[in-house]
């Protein structure tokens, strides 16, 4: 006790100067009952990740995506323009860079994720306008197909009939690398004029088969997103990681939409 009496910090603290007992109010039976009846703190109060929070964040990203998507669509409508082409190129390049940055960041950055949604919307809006100019009604077809694939995948995951596994994820990653190499080769052949078809090597029935495979890959990517969100909520991950889940869902849904858009165009062509 000598240390507490000689140290001014201890002397001023009622816990150590002997006055705490006299100054601490006693808890009544009614107070204890009210304390026990008080509802437990939810994810918002504990700053933990929750399904509702991820849904709200995802909805917010898509709201931004849709606003800038309308802008990108209108600058390229009803006839494709140079301005529309410029908006598409800027949206694709900036969106691609921001997508890579967000994907490899250890901590989610809200401004970067919001910026990604904005530029991705510009790019997808301009691209959708071009496809709509070539094949009337194709955009709504691709949107409905995307919603259908998303809904079925979510229902299967929620019912427990489909789950992410290490083996399936390994196959998925290998397929993604192969698809990335193929897409890069296809782009080079189209830019150099070796292949003159608008879809390059992805034309005819081969393009449709590849499209089906890629849609299945995108659906499994959704399963991985759902699994990550589920594990984050169950483990009590910090609330900020809800942005990571929202970003992952948006990226996969945009990829799925583009693949369905291209597949429907090949089919209608």
């Amino acid at each position: 006790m000598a240390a507490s009496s000689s140290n001014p910090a201890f002397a001023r603290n009622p816990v150590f100067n002997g006055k705490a007992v006299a100054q601490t109010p006693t808890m009544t039976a009614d107070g204890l009952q009210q304390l026990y009846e008080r509802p437990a703190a939810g994810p918002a109060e504990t700053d933990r990740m929750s399904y509702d929070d991820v849904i709200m964040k995802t909805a917010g990203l898509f709201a931004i995506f849709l606003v800038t998507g309308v802008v990108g669509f209108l600058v390229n409508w009803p006839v494709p323009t140079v301005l529309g082409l410029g908006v598409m190129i800027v949206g694709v390049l900036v969106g691609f860079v921001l997508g890579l940055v967000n994907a490899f960041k250890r901590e989610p950055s809200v401004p970067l994720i919001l910026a990604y949604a904005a530029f991705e919307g510009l790019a997808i809006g301009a691209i959708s306008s071009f496809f709509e100019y070539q094949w009337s009604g194709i955009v709504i077809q691709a949107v409905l197909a995307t919603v259908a694939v998303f809904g079925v995948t979510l229902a299967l995951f929620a019912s427990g009939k489909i789950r992410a596994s290490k083996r399936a994820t390994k196959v998925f990653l290998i397929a993604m690398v192969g698809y990335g190499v193929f897409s890069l080769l296809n782009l080079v052949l189209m830019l150099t004029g070796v292949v003159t078809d608008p879809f390059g090597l992805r034309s005819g029935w081969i393009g449709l088969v590849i499209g089906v495979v890629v849609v299945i890959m995108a659906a499994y990517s959704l399963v991985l997103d759902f699994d990550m969100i589920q594990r984050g909520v169950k483990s009590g991950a910090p609330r900020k990681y809800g942005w990571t889940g929202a970003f992952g869902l948006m990226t996969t849904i945009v990829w799925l939409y583009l693949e369905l858009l291209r597949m429907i165009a090949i089919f209608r062509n």
Side-chain angles (χ1 to χ4, degrees):
M1 295 300 296
S4 63
S5 61
S6 60
N7 192 319
F10 287 115
R12 290 194 299 267
N13 194 319
V15 175
F16 295 98
N17 62 17
K19 300 178 180 179
V21 176
Q23 295 177 358
T24 302
T26 58
M27 177 66 72
T28 63
D30 291 340
L32 285 173
Q33 186 63 30
Q34 292 177 4
L35 183 63
Y36 286 126
E37 292 177 352
R38 185 179 301 173
E45 289 78 8
T46 57
D47 199 34
R48 295 299 176 185
M49 191 174 170
S50 67
Y51 294 119
D52 291 341
D53 188 56
V54 174
I55 292 173
M56 292 301 296
K57 287 178 169 62
T58 305
L61 289 183
F62 272 100
I64 297 173
F65 175 85
L66 290 176
V67 170
T68 57
V70 170
V71 174
F73 189 94
L74 293 179
V75 297
N76 211 31
W77 182 262
V79 180
T81 63
V82 175
L83 176 61
L85 179 62
V87 168
M88 182 182 69
I89 293 175
V90 171
V92 169
L93 293 178
V94 178
F96 178 73
V97 172
L98 288 174
L100 289 178
V101 171
N102 284 307
F104 288 100
K105 279 185 67 66
R106 294 179 62 87
E107 300 288 333
S109 172
V110 178
L112 290 180
I113 293 176
L114 296 179
Y116 166 81
F119 281 98
E120 197 73 359
L122 286 175
I124 301 305
I127 293 172
S128 298
S129 179
F130 173 77
F131 274 78
E132 186 69 21
Y133 173 77
Q134 296 290 331
W135 301 276
S136 178
I138 192 173
V139 170
I140 187 64
Q141 291 175 339
V143 169
L144 292 176
T146 302
V147 172
V149 174
F150 177 85
V152 170
T153 306
L154 178 60
L156 290 175
F157 181 83
S159 64
K161 294 182 179 180
I162 184 172
R163 283 287 184 268
S165 66
K166 291 183 178 180
R167 184 175 181 180
T169 302
K170 185 181 296 185
V171 173
F172 168 78
L173 293 176
I174 295 173
M176 280 293 295
V177 172
Y179 177 65
V181 173
F182 169 79
S183 298
L184 182 60
L185 174 63
N186 190 38
L187 178 62
V188 171
L189 293 177
M190 292 172 62
L191 293 177
T192 55
V194 176
V195 179
T196 57
D197 190 277
F199 299 104
L201 299 176
R202 293 190 58 173
S203 59
W205 66 270
I206 296 178
L208 292 177
V209 172
I210 294 175
V212 172
V213 173
V214 176
V215 167
I216 294 174
M217 290 168 56
Y220 187 75
S221 182
L222 282 174
V223 173
L224 293 177
D225 293 330
F226 296 149
D227 181 70
M228 184 274 291
I229 293 170
Q230 185 182 67
R231 287 187 289 108
V233 172
K234 288 184 176 181
S235 63
R239 193 178 184 185
K240 62 183 178 181
Y241 288 103
W243 286 108
T244 303
F247 168 75
L249 282 176
M250 182 177 188
T251 303
T252 305
I253 291 172
V254 169
W255 174 34
L256 176 63
Y257 167 77
L258 285 175
E259 291 299 332
L260 288 169
L261 190 69
R262 179 161 38 192
M263 190 169 68
I264 294 172
I266 295 171
F267 180 79
R268 289 182 58 175
N269 200 39

